[in-house]
Amino acid sequence: MIRPATKDDIEIILDMVQEDCLEMGYPYNRPHMKDQILGLIALECPIFINEHKDVPVGVIAGIVSPNLFSPDILEIREFIWHGVQSLSNIGRARVMVELLDYLLDMAKKAKINFHASLPVDKKTDSLKDLLIRRGFKLTEYYFRMEF
């Protein structure tokens, strides 16, 4: 079952975000993320929990905003999309597909362009393939320089 997240889910969400950040090599600051997630929940941003048998097993969240170049175009940018590592690979994939399809359906009904990003890493190849099979197209490259 997929349901909207509430402020009561904050610790569960933070645990999943931490697991995702460690897996993907992203920085993680729990107090900062807590403030961010609580703010997004208060703004009713799309944050959804996937539960199997009443156990949270995944999260997907995005931020909806107007396109930077044209306010007539709404976009959602996925910033967390995670299935818990305690699941089997197949179980994890199922959870993530369910979450993605749920948010994609919502975006499609609202006519909101969907952006998803993945780290450039071999471990995300299956996710990249999943996005392509769902109709996503590679539209830009993202470069970063750290200091």
Side-chain angles (χ1 to χ4, degrees):
M1 173 186 86
I2 296 176
R3 62 171 179 77
T6 69
K7 64 181 180 177
D8 295 332
D9 295 310
I10 189 66
E11 295 303 321
I12 292 162
I13 294 169
L14 291 173
D15 289 345
M16 285 192 250
V17 171
Q18 181 176 12
E19 190 175 81
D20 187 61
C21 287
L22 288 172
E23 183 177 23
M24 295 298 167
Y26 297 143
Y28 180 76
N29 179 305
R30 194 172 186 97
H32 175 71
M33 281 306 306
K34 185 173 187 174
D35 290 343
Q36 295 297 312
I37 299 292
L38 287 173
L40 293 172
I41 289 172
L43 291 172
E44 298 182 4
C45 285
I47 303 176
F48 298 97
I49 303 287
N50 193 334
E51 290 182 332
H52 286 191
K53 298 180 183 177
D54 296 324
V55 176
V57 292
V59 64
I60 194 166
I63 297 174
V64 177
S65 66
N67 177 282
L68 290 173
F69 304 107
S70 176
D72 300 334
I73 301 169
L74 281 179
E75 299 176 326
I76 183 168
R77 296 194 180 265
E78 163 271 324
F79 75 91
I80 182 72
W81 174 35
H82 184 70
V84 295
Q85 292 174 341
S86 58
L87 297 172
S88 67
N89 287 341
I90 292 170
R92 239 181 133 188
R94 183 178 303 120
V95 163
M96 292 181 75
V97 167
E98 290 169 354
L99 286 165
L100 179 65
D101 287 347
Y102 188 86
L103 197 52
L104 275 174
D105 187 54
M106 288 185 64
K108 184 177 182 179
K109 287 177 183 171
K111 297 186 183 204
I112 300 173
N113 293 343
F114 197 111
H115 294 261
S117 60
L118 298 170
V120 178
D121 191 297
K122 184 119 179 95
K123 65 185 161 202
T124 62
D125 284 351
S126 61
L127 296 176
K128 180 177 63 176
D129 291 342
L130 171 67
L131 292 173
I132 291 168
R133 285 193 309 274
R134 290 290 189 280
F136 283 81
K137 294 174 181 65
L138 182 62
T139 58
E140 60 188 40
Y141 291 99
Y142 172 84
F143 295 90
R144 177 178 70 209
M145 182 181 289
E146 295 180 358
F147 298 100

